[in-house]
């Protein structure tokens, strides 16, 4: 263990104190000792949050892949880097050593370079959870191309929006992707998306499902045709610490998704630091994060964090319910997983099933459990603790965001006292604070407010791709010179944080961030619709579900509402992907509005949650009379 990683509570407090007293020294010392740099930095930190202009390790040169792979080859070439567990349990798992990973990444990097890709070019990866996705991510990083991974559950429209926003020149996809018993036709979705993407010149297609595909002449090439004869060696591009490493899209409170930009040096340092600190990874542990690489959790805690730490990381192609609801536990037994990191929505779904799904597998290898993505309710926490951890495994409830790049507030496994539903304490280097409505910091404990971070940390997003003004407006304007997270939180008398949920127009459904405005825009495109308001309401498994209140044009009010519901639902599903589908649609005569014409979502949220006894003062509404009929007709 490194002297910078806490090993007990007193070292945590001491490291925390050092990191706050002198952040540049703390991160500079850690970065110098623990990574391979081609050239050291001139400044550890150069930051002005009012702009915001954020630079970590300015002037340093590195390649993150040298740190994730090459430097492990001397002593750990034969150690397993990635365990690939396929969707179908009858297909063999693969153990990919660091030496093999190195060769495969080099070949992939040479393959992408052979198309003309170079430093700074954007490459969109729209792929299933197969090892080639990991190779492609690392290959882009090795040649300095900026990867933009788009989750393979997204629709053609979401894909084309993301490709166009980043002006990707290259797309890597597959013929199809397995998800349980279904096959997603990734290539045909890509073809549809690319009809509106003139920026793309080449598409590489991996064969995975043997789904029939159309190959477009001069644009599309098969992965295997290009890959097989590539050289096993590949020079790493020399990157500045502040060069862009990747773009990853997250939903915002306006329709357009935000391309969060992360850079090489700071992201690497903090992904590594947080992985080792939170999970207390030891060198022979098998670690499994069940996320998809299409989300930030997969970037930081399947790929960059674990590999930079020389860990063994499991990559799972399938879903928890296939071939049956015991699959997670079968995988834990099969690969003797020591650390399991998953999402509350999966825990809730699995806790509904017959307990024999759990007890049929030997879970004795587990020593640490983690959760991420949304608040975990007490019942799910206790089930995870008792049934999976058998009361012996600490649960790290990790709070963080696409924007933060790494885990910010979390217990350190076996060190911090866990409290169900609390993310507990900030990691060294992280300075959270609570703000009141008037923009003042709440300094006392036992308080509730809006969660901000008041000092820079290495893996913070640097901008929104192509829109720094929006970046500033979204994150650095509500509370000047502080990063505003969009979440509310409580702090107890001992400084432990409990995240209460979003305070903006983002709803988290099954751990996926959905922007309500984006869904409303799609619903409003239906020819019968005048306008819509989308809110979240609590759902026992998904955490939240989508409820849409919709007003219809006069000449459409007579139409059959069941048919309209089906049409609207499939429009949303087709445009944004099935995860964005409204669970309930209510047609209304009017939506409650303020006098300035803003829809009062606060009231609609209450109706959707069936909390109809107290709306507060609605007399200031433009049209208070519509509330009663909305309440009466609620679903
Ligand atoms: O509301 C918080 C919730 O997920 C949001 C971030 O979503 P995303 O950028 O997709 O990243 C998810 C994976 C890091 C946060 O603003 N969230 C995430 N983790 C937790 C959480 N809410 C409560 N507890 C958590 N542990």
């Amino acid at each position: 263990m490194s002297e910078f990683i806490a090993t007990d509570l007193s070292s945590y407090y001491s490291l925390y104190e050092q990191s706050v007293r002198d952040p540049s020294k703390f991160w500079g010392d850690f970065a110098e000792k623990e990574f391979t740099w081609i050239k050291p930095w001139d400044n550890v930190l150069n930051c002005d949050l009012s702009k915001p202009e954020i630079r970590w390790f300015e002037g340093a040169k590195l390649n993150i892949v040298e740190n994730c792979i090459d430097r492990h080859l001397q002593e750990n070439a034969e150690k397993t880097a990635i365990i690939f567990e396929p969707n179908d349990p009858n297909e063999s798992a693969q153990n990919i050593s660091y030496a093999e990973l190195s060769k495969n990444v080099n070949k992939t990097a040479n393959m992408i370079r052979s198309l003309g890709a170079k430093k700074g070019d954007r490459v969109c990866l729209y792929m299933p959870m197969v090892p080639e996705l990991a190779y492609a991510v690392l290959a882009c990083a090795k040649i300095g191309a900026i990867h933009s991974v788009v989750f393979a559950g997204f629709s053609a429209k979401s894909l084309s929006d993301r490709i166009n926003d980043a002006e990707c020149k290259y797309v890597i996809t597959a013929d199809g992707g397995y998800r349980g018993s279904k096959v997603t036709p990734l290539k045909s979705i890509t073809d549809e998306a690319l009809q509106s993407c003139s920026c793309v010149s080449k598409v590489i297609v991996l064969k995975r499902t043997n789904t029939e595909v159309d190959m477009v002449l001069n644009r599309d090439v098969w992965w295997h045709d290009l890959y097989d004869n590539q050289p096993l060696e590949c020079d790493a591009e020399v990157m500045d610490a502040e060069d862009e490493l990747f773009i990853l899209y997250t939903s915002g409170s306006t329709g357009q998704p935000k391309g969060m930009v992360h850079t090489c040096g700071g992201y690497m340092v903090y992904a590594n630091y947080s992985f080792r600190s939170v999970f207390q990874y030891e060198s022979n542990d098998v670690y499994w994060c069940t996320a998809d690489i299409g989300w930030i959790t997969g970037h930081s805690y399947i790929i960059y964090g674990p590999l930079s730490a020389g860990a063994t990381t499991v990559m799972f192609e399938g879903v928890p319910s296939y071939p049956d609801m015991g699959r997670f536990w079968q995988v834990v037994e099969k690969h003797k997983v020591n650390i399991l990191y998953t999402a509350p929505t999966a825990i809730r779904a699995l806790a509904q099933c017959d307990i024999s799904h759990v007890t049929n597998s030997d879970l004795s290898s587990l020593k640490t459990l983690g959760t991420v993505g949304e608040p975990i309710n007490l019942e799910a926490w206790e089930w995870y603790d008792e049934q999976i951890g058998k009361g012996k495994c600490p649960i790290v409830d990790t709070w963080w965001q696409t924007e933060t790049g790494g885990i910010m507030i979390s217990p350190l496994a076996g060190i911090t006292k866990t409290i169900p539903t609390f993310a507990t304490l900030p990691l060294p280097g992280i300075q959270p604070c609570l703000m009141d409505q008037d923009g003042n910091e709440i300094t006392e404990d036992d308080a509730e407010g809006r969660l901000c971070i008041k000092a820079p940390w290495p893996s913070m997003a640097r901008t929104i791709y192509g829109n720094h003004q929006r970046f500033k407006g979204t994150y650095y304007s509500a509370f000047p010179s502080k990063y505003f997270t969009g979440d509310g939180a409580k702090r107890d008398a001992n400084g432990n944080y409990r995240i209460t949920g979003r305070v903006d127009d983002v709803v988290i459904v099954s751990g996926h961030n959905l922007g309500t405005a984006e869904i409303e825009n799609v619903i409003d495109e239906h020819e019968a619709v005048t306008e819509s308001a989308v809110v979240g309401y609590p759902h026992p498994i998904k955490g939240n579900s989508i409820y849409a209140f919709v007003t219809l044009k006069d000449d459409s009010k007579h139409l059959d509402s069941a048919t309209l519901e089906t049409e609207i639902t499939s429009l949303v599903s087709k445009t944004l992907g099935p995860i964005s589908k409204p669970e309930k649609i209510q047609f209304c005569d009017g939506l409650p509005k303020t006098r300035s014409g803003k829809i009062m979502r606060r009231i609609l949220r209450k109706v959707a949650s069936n909390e109809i006894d107290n709306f507060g003062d609605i007399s200031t509404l433009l049209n208070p009379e519509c509330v009663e009929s909305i309440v009466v007709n609620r679903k």
Side-chain angles (χ1 to χ4, degrees), residues 249-251 295-297 301 341 344 371-376 396-404 406-407 409 421-423 483 485-488 498-503 506 508 511-513:
Y249 286 85
T250 187
S251 298
W295 311 117
I296 190 70
T297 309
Y301 299 112
Y341 188 30
T371 77
V372 58
E374 59 189 305
I376 179 163
V396 291
D397 175 353
T398 65
W399 174 83
W400 59 297
Q401 307 177 301
T402 306
E403 295 85 341
T404 70
I407 297 168
I409 304 180
T421 76
F422 278 71
Y483 168 74
T485 64
D487 282 337
R498 176 183 191 189
I499 312 302
T500 49
R502 302 290 308 190
V503 293
V506 171
I508 302 191
H512 303 312
N513 271 13

Side-chain angles (χ1 to χ4, degrees), residues 246-391:
F246 66 84
I247 302 168
L248 185 60
Y249 286 85
T250 187
S251 298
S253 43
T254 66
Q256 178 75 357
K258 298 170 293 196
M260 304 313 307
V261 172
H262 285 283
T263 56
C264 296
Y267 175 80
M268 170 182 78
V269 167
Y270 195 74
N272 173 284
Y273 184 78
S274 51
F275 171 73
R276 293 162 68 194
S277 299
V278 169
F279 298 106
Q280 295 284 303
Y281 184 85
E282 290 173 359
S283 57
N284 291 319
D285 287 341
V286 173
Y287 159 88
W288 179 22
C289 166
T290 68
D292 192 287
I293 290 174
W295 311 117
I296 190 70
T297 309
H299 283 57
S300 301
Y301 299 112
I302 296 178
I303 303 226
Y304 290 113
L307 296 177
S308 68
T312 299
T313 172
V314 177
M315 208 179 146
F316 176 46
E317 184 185 24
V319 292
S321 53
Y322 182 80
D324 60 50
M325 296 301 279
R327 185 69 191 279
F328 267 18
W329 320 123
Q330 293 148 20
V331 174
V332 168
E333 174 176 328
K334 178 172 175 188
H335 298 297
K336 301 202 171 37
V337 171
N338 305 111
I339 304 170
L340 174 68
Y341 188 30
T342 191
T345 184
I347 298 168
R348 286 191 294 264
L350 296 170
Q352 306 281 309
C353 308
D354 193 289
I355 195 67
S356 63
H357 286 296
V358 176
T359 52
N360 282 342
S361 295
D362 175 4
L363 303 183
S364 60
S365 57
L366 287 173
K367 59 178 196 180
T368 297
L369 302 174
T371 77
V372 58
E374 59 189 305
I376 179 163
N377 51 311
L378 182 63
E379 206 183 342
W381 196 99
E382 287 176 341
W383 184 85
Y384 200 31
D385 179 41
E386 286 159 23
Q387 304 300 335
I388 306 306
K390 317 288 182 202

Side-chain angles (χ1 to χ4, degrees), residues 156-175:
K157 164 90 170 53
S158 304
L159 176 61
S160 67
D161 284 350
R162 284 158 178 76
I163 291 173
N164 283 327
D165 186 77
E167 296 174 299
C168 295
K169 271 197 196 165
Y170 306 96
V171 176
I172 308 184
T173 186
D175 53 351

Side-chain angles (χ1 to χ4, degrees), residues 167-294:
E167 296 174 299
C168 295
K169 271 197 196 165
Y170 306 96
V171 176
I172 308 184
T173 186
D175 53 351
Y178 294 117
R179 269 186 82 73
S181 55
K182 297 197 198 116
V183 172
T184 314
L186 297 176
K187 175 63 166 66
S188 67
I189 297 172
T190 304
D191 289 341
E192 189 185 333
L194 293 189
Q195 284 177 7
S196 49
C197 302
S198 56
C199 47
V200 172
S201 61
K202 290 280 177 201
V203 179
I204 300 179
V205 186
L206 178 78
K207 195 173 263 238
R208 173 63 184 142
T209 53
N210 289 316
T211 304
E212 216 174 291
V213 300
D214 294 327
M215 296 295 275
V216 174
L217 195 68
N218 296 329
R219 188 195 72 180
D220 300 351
V221 271
W222 284 107
W223 174 296
H224 53 261
D225 285 343
L226 262 186
Y227 177 86
D228 288 350
N229 295 323
Q230 294 296 336
L232 301 178
E233 299 296 327
C234 171
D235 289 339
E237 190 72 33
V238 177
M239 303 294 283
D240 282 351
E242 281 299 334
D243 278 337
E244 293 169 4
L245 173 65
F246 66 84
I247 302 168
L248 185 60
Y249 286 85
T250 187
S251 298
S253 43
T254 66
Q256 178 75 357
K258 298 170 293 196
M260 304 313 307
V261 172
H262 285 283
T263 56
C264 296
Y267 175 80
M268 170 182 78
V269 167
Y270 195 74
N272 173 284
Y273 184 78
S274 51
F275 171 73
R276 293 162 68 194
S277 299
V278 169
F279 298 106
Q280 295 284 303
Y281 184 85
E282 290 173 359
S283 57
N284 291 319
D285 287 341
V286 173
Y287 159 88
W288 179 22
C289 166
T290 68
D292 192 287
I293 290 174

Side-chain angles (χ1 to χ4, degrees), residues 397-399 407-411 423-427 430 432 451 497 499:
D397 175 353
T398 65
W399 174 83
I407 297 168
M408 304 286 280
I409 304 180
S410 169
T424 72
L425 299 173
L427 265 67
I430 306 304
L451 181 65
Y497 285 86
I499 312 302

